[in-house]
């Protein structure tokens, strides 16, 4: 018996529908980078009904192409002729974000669909705003390059009241992009900033049922249910400790379930004592440190037997955001961090 991550097809379809509800006039770029945020590309096919799919590695574009004929947006673009030719064969749209990429693109003798990324304040990828007119001028004279979209990215969209959001949006709106499609809204902006929902929106974490904000959003449905079996049951006597470092001590005789999952599977090493675990519909609590292969859970609130499966996250009663909070991290890291020894399955 081992840990299982069940990927809900109905939840994926529901969350994509939520995107359309927020941005009914926009085309949708399903962000399936990082192996669909850890959910596995071959298990997220409901997301393939979007207009375009986005990945952050050419290797992911190769894996994705046999699964769908939809265009693929390669977020880092290309930096050499070999990769350019492969992306053209794979029907990829390319992001142009650095002036050093221009010579490669202009050398193309085949059609290229281009997304130009402009840095409006993220200070990560993207050309300077003042460089855009010159870039457009150079590309305008190239018959094989078609500009599909001008894009940018928010630095603080998950904090809706942060002043940088308005600053970046103002900078983006001041650009002379009237002849092109535009895109700026990620999950957080889709859900909180209507004026940023231009021609394309780029949902990521919300597709997988996790909120981009500090609070849980009930309109989103969890997609990944991570579960693992109870391997052993024992009674810990008052005053005894459990696990490495003896960080948890029983204040009275306590029934403990030992569950077959640990940080080797991607369950967070820094989950604190008291982190909730769902067993037979009841929220129980983590007891002691997470080890590589096992966790121990105080089950005095419920009855259980060996073979019962504990849900670690991905249920309406236990969201991944809650586990992230107890572990001082974010849902993105937990979802993308589930290891290869966990069995992934498709569920309804």
């Amino acid at each position: 018996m081992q840990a299982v991550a069940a990927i809900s097809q109905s939840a994926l379809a529901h969350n994509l529908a939520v995107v359309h509800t927020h941005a009914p006039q926009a085309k949708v770029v399903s962000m399936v980078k990082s192996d669909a945020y850890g959910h596995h590309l071959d298990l997220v096919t409901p997301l393939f009904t979007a207009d375009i799919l986005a990945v952050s590695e050419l290797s992911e574009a190769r894996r994705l192409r046999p699964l769908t004929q939809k265009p693929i947006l390669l977020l880092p673009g290309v930096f050499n002729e070999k990769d350019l030719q492969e992306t053209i064969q794979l029907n990829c749209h390319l992001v142009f974000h650095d002036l050093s990429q221009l010579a490669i693109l202009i050398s193309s003798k085949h059609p290229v669909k281009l997304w130009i990324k402009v840095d409006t304040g993220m200070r990560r990828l993207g050309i300077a705003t003042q460089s855009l007119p010159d870039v457009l001028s150079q590309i305008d004279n190239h018959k094989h390059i078609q500009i599909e979209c001008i894009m940018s990215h928010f630095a603080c969209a998950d904090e809706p009241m942060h002043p940088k959001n308005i600053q970046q949006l103002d900078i983006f709106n001041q650009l002379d992009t009237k002849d092109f499609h535009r895109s700026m809204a990620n999950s957080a902006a889709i859900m909180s900033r209507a004026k940023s929902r231009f021609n394309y929106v780029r949902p990521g974490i919300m597709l997988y049922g996790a909120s981009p904000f500090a609070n849980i959003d009930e309109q989103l449905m969890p997609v990944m249910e991570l579960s693992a079996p109870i391997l052993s049951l024992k009674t810990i006597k008052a005053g005894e400790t459990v696990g490495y470092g003896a960080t948890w001590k029983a204040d009275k005789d306590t029934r403990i379930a030992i569950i077959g999952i640990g940080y080797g599977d991607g369950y967070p090493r820094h989950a604190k004592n008291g982190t909730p675990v769902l067993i037979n519909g009841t929220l129980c609590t983590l007891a002691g440190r997470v080890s590589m292969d096992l966790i121990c859970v105080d089950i005095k609130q419920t009855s259980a037997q060996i073979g019962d499966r504990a849900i670690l996250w991905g249920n309406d009663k236990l969201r991944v955001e809650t586990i992230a909070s107890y572990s001082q991290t974010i849902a993105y890291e937990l979802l993308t961090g589930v290891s290869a020894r966990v069995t992934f399955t498709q569920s309804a």
Side-chain angles (χ1 to χ4, degrees):
M1 294 189 293
Q2 66 182 134
V4 173
I7 307 303
S8 169
Q9 305 303 287
S10 58
L12 287 164
H14 169 85
N15 296 333
L16 183 56
V18 172
V19 175
H20 287 296
T21 298
H22 282 289
Q25 305 304 318
K27 293 184 177 181
V28 176
V29 183
S30 281
M31 304 298 289
V32 295
K33 62 181 182 175
S34 193
D35 204 10
Y37 284 49
H39 290 67
H40 290 205
L41 284 171
D42 59 330
L43 297 179
V44 299
T45 52
L47 300 185
F48 297 174
T49 60
D51 298 281
I52 187 168
L53 310 169
V55 297
S56 56
E57 296 284 345
L58 182 52
S59 61
E60 289 187 322
R62 294 187 194 110
R63 290 176 52 210
L64 187 57
R65 179 46 70 220
L67 302 174
T68 176
Q69 293 305 305
K70 288 292 178 72
I72 300 170
L73 178 63
L74 186 61
L75 295 169
V78 294
F79 290 87
N80 60 65
E81 177 68 24
K82 177 177 176 292
D83 288 349
L84 175 62
Q85 295 309 312
E86 184 173 4
T87 57
I88 291 171
Q89 292 172 2
L90 290 170
N91 187 24
C92 289
H93 294 201
L94 300 176
V95 173
F96 167 76
H97 58 83
D98 192 279
L99 295 177
S100 65
Q101 297 173 300
L102 196 55
I104 297 296
L105 294 168
I106 288 177
S107 71
S108 176
K109 295 178 176 58
H110 302 280
V112 175
K113 288 192 175 181
L114 202 64
W115 293 51
I116 299 177
K117 188 166 192 175
V118 181
D119 181 4
T120 57
M122 181 73 165
R123 295 295 181 262
R124 202 175 56 175
L125 298 183
I127 63 170
T129 55
Q130 58 267 30
S131 299
L132 182 60
D134 182 58
V135 167
L136 292 175
S137 176
Q138 293 190 58
I139 292 175
D140 189 49
N141 296 322
H142 196 291
K143 64 180 181 180
H144 292 304
I145 297 177
Q146 175 186 334
I147 299 173
E148 179 65 22
C149 189
I150 309 294
M151 65 187 294
S152 192
H153 194 63
F154 285 109
C156 304
D158 58 343
E159 301 175 61
M161 302 309 294
H162 199 292
K164 197 171 184 70
N165 294 318
I166 295 175
Q167 294 169 7
Q168 285 191 256
L169 192 56
D170 285 346
I171 291 170
F172 191 67
N173 281 326
Q174 289 168 18
L175 298 172
D176 184 8
T177 58
K178 62 182 181 296
D179 295 329
F180 307 104
H181 291 142
R182 296 188 293 168
S183 177
M184 197 163 184
N186 58 2
S187 290
I190 290 167
M191 299 176 74
S192 68
R193 194 161 295 279
K195 291 184 178 179
S196 70
R197 303 169 197 150
F198 298 113
N199 308 94
Y200 282 97
V201 293
R202 310 193 306 271
I205 194 67
M206 69 182 296
L207 294 174
Y208 306 99
S211 173
F213 307 114
N215 58 304
I216 290 171
D217 194 309
E218 299 293 343
Q219 68 180 315
L220 301 173
M221 293 176 60
V223 171
M224 179 195 292
E225 182 182 88
L226 181 65
S227 67
I230 295 176
L231 303 180
S232 181
L233 297 166
K234 60 181 57 181
T235 298
I236 306 299
K237 293 183 177 181
E240 291 184 334
T241 63
V242 170
Y244 289 121
T247 62
W248 184 91
K249 181 186 290 187
D251 57 4
K252 59 183 178 181
D253 290 1
T254 303
R255 195 73 168 152
I256 292 291
I258 296 88
I259 298 169
I261 195 168
Y263 61 76
D265 304 282
Y267 190 77
R269 168 70 173 76
H270 297 295
K272 297 182 285 190
N273 284 328
T275 299
V277 176
L278 188 65
I279 298 177
N280 296 331
T282 299
L283 288 173
C284 304
T285 54
L286 192 68
R289 285 183 184 169
V290 176
S291 59
M292 185 181 292
D293 310 304
L294 302 167
I295 59 172
C296 298
V297 176
D298 179 344
I299 58 166
K300 62 176 175 287
Q301 301 297 328
T302 190
S303 60
Q305 57 187 356
I306 292 173
D308 287 351
R309 295 197 73 83
I311 295 174
L312 291 312
W313 67 64
N315 183 280
D316 285 336
K317 289 186 176 181
L318 185 58
R319 309 283 288 240
V320 68
E321 298 97 315
T322 299
I323 306 305
S325 177
Y326 274 88
S327 309
Q328 297 183 307
T329 185
I330 56 176
Y332 302 74
E333 184 177 28
L334 296 185
L335 294 173
T336 59
V338 177
S339 80
R341 75 177 186 178
V342 173
T343 298
F344 276 73
T345 64
Q346 187 178 92
S347 69

